[in-house]
Each structure stands twice: as C-alpha cells, then as structure tokens.
Amino acid sequence: MSTGIVVAVVVIGVVVFGVMAVLRRRRLQQRFGPEYDRVVGERDSRRKAEAELTERVRRVEDLDIQPLTDSSRASYAGQWTSIQERFVDAPADAVSGAQLLVAAVMTERGYPAEHDDQVLADLSVEHSGTLDRYRAAEEISQRAAAGTASTEDLRQAMVHYRALFGDLLGEPADTGSETAGAAADTSGQLTESDPKEMAK
C-alpha cells in the first residue's frame, strides 16, 4: 500500500471520528439541555462530561422506568390539588407534602430515590427541562426546614415542584406551564402570575 493511500485512509478515519463526535455531542446537548452545559462546566474536560452523560443514559435504560397508569395519574393529580389547597394556611407543610409526593411519583415510575445526587443524575436523562426547577425547589425546602424561607420562597418551591410533578405525570409541557402560570382560582391553584394571591 502506497504512502498516499495510507495517508488518505488516516485522514478519512480522522474525519469520520470527528463527525461522529460532533453528532454525539449534538445528541447529548439536545437530550440534556442546560444540564449538558452544567456538567461540562463542572468536569475537567468535555470528553469526561460527555462520558458521564452517556453513562447516565445507560443507567436509566437499565432502570426500567415505566409511565404511570391512568388511575395512578388521576390519584396523584388529586393529591397534588389537596396539598396545593393547604398552602394558604400552612405553606411550609404544603411544600413538604409536595416534596414527598414528587418522591412518591418518582418511586412508582421506577426511579430510585435514596441518594439525592443520583436522583438528579437519573432525572436528567428524561426530565432535563424541569431539573433546574427541581433543584431550586429542593434548595428552598432545605431553607424551609431551617426556618429561613419566606412565604414567597415557599410559593416558588411549590411552583417548581409542580413543574417536575407534571413532567413525571407525563403532562404535555405546555399544560404544566399553563397550570403553574394561570391566575389563581377558587380551588387554590398556585400561580406564577399572581404571587400575592398565595400569601393571603
């Protein structure tokens, strides 16, 4: 084989490898959204970050995550409404209830919920769009447990938990945002558009 042919084969191999790396990067960016950038920023190299994200996908594929049945979805939705209605009189208790309900839905879907970091990693594979909101809700919940969260903080936690809750239930993204952003009605719906309503 002549030197020219060897060089051509090597160049083609490098180009193919580069194209495959770019395609894999795009798939990961599309799948993980903001989580991709967060992990890349926390790791020593993009290659290590992408290897970690790829491993997350493999792990979740092995977890046998299942959608909820219609009856379970309806039951959880009813429980959420009940927790939400308690917010006016007991906001911290409502946030705690929302946190527990989200964990219950995760468990029923098949997500192990024992270790916080692993929960976040597992959720990032299919629920990256609401993951930052879940992180924010968990951070507020910790402040609430320490007694340092305001009523507005607690309202925000409920709205954030609601985003992941709707995502886990399998609601379309626009339905979840409409529910969270609609004006408060007589059933006590939480809102992003009228924060003072929840403090009454």
Side-chain angles (χ1 to χ4, degrees), residues 56-71:
R56 289 185 189 186
V57 173
R58 287 194 195 104
R59 173 182 157 78
V60 169
E61 285 172 352
D62 290 340
L63 289 179
D64 191 30
I65 305 300
Q66 296 293 323
L68 295 173
T69 63
D70 290 342
S71 60

Side-chain angles (χ1 to χ4, degrees), residues 187-198:
S187 68
Q189 288 280 331
L190 288 174
T191 72
E192 288 183 306
S193 57
D194 190 3
K196 293 183 177 58
E197 190 69 27
M198 293 311 303

Side-chain angles (χ1 to χ4, degrees), residues 4 12 16-17 20 30 41 47 59 61-62 73 84 93 106 135-137 142-143 148 170 174 190 193 196:
I12 291 170
V16 168
F17 180 80
M20 290 176 62
Q30 289 172 352
R47 188 169 52 83
R59 173 182 157 78
E61 285 172 352
D62 290 340
R73 191 178 295 111
Q84 189 169 269
D93 289 345
M106 279 192 266
R135 280 193 180 99
Q142 290 175 4
R143 295 205 323 260
T148 60
D174 58 346
L190 288 174
S193 57
K196 293 183 177 58

Side-chain angles (χ1 to χ4, degrees), residues 59 63 103 106-107 111-123 131 134 138 142:
R59 173 182 157 78
L63 289 179
M106 279 192 266
T107 300
Y111 290 100
E114 299 85 31
H115 306 291
D116 292 344
D117 288 343
Q118 190 61 60
V119 167
L120 290 169
D122 291 343
L123 287 174
L131 193 61
Y134 178 61
E138 290 287 278
Q142 290 175 4

Side-chain angles (χ1 to χ4, degrees), residues 32-100:
F32 287 94
E35 183 72 0
Y36 176 92
D37 294 328
R38 191 189 69 78
V39 174
V40 167
E42 290 179 351
R43 300 301 174 265
D44 295 339
S45 70
R46 186 177 297 270
R47 188 169 52 83
K48 287 182 182 178
E50 290 177 352
E52 177 182 325
L53 294 172
T54 301
E55 182 53 37
R56 289 185 189 186
V57 173
R58 287 194 195 104
R59 173 182 157 78
V60 169
E61 285 172 352
D62 290 340
L63 289 179
D64 191 30
I65 305 300
Q66 296 293 323
L68 295 173
T69 63
D70 290 342
S71 60
S72 287
R73 191 178 295 111
S75 173
Y76 284 126
Q79 291 176 63
W80 179 270
T81 299
S82 176
I83 289 168
Q84 189 169 269
E85 289 170 350
R86 293 199 323 249
F87 185 90
V88 174
D89 296 322
D93 289 345
V95 169
S96 179
Q99 183 182 38
L100 292 172

Side-chain angles (χ1 to χ4, degrees), residues 127-195:
H127 304 282
S128 62
T130 51
L131 193 61
D132 283 343
R133 299 188 77 175
Y134 178 61
R135 280 193 180 99
E138 290 287 278
E139 189 270 328
I140 294 169
S141 290
Q142 290 175 4
R143 295 205 323 260
T148 60
S150 68
T151 302
E152 172 59 16
D153 291 336
L154 296 172
R155 187 193 70 80
Q156 284 294 327
M158 289 292 289
V159 171
H160 291 324
Y161 277 131
R162 179 64 179 87
L164 177 61
F165 178 76
D167 201 15
L168 287 167
L169 258 59
E171 295 177 350
D174 58 346
T175 300
S177 60
E178 284 171 11
T179 302
D185 62 20
T186 54
S187 68
Q189 288 280 331
L190 288 174
T191 72
E192 288 183 306
S193 57
D194 190 3

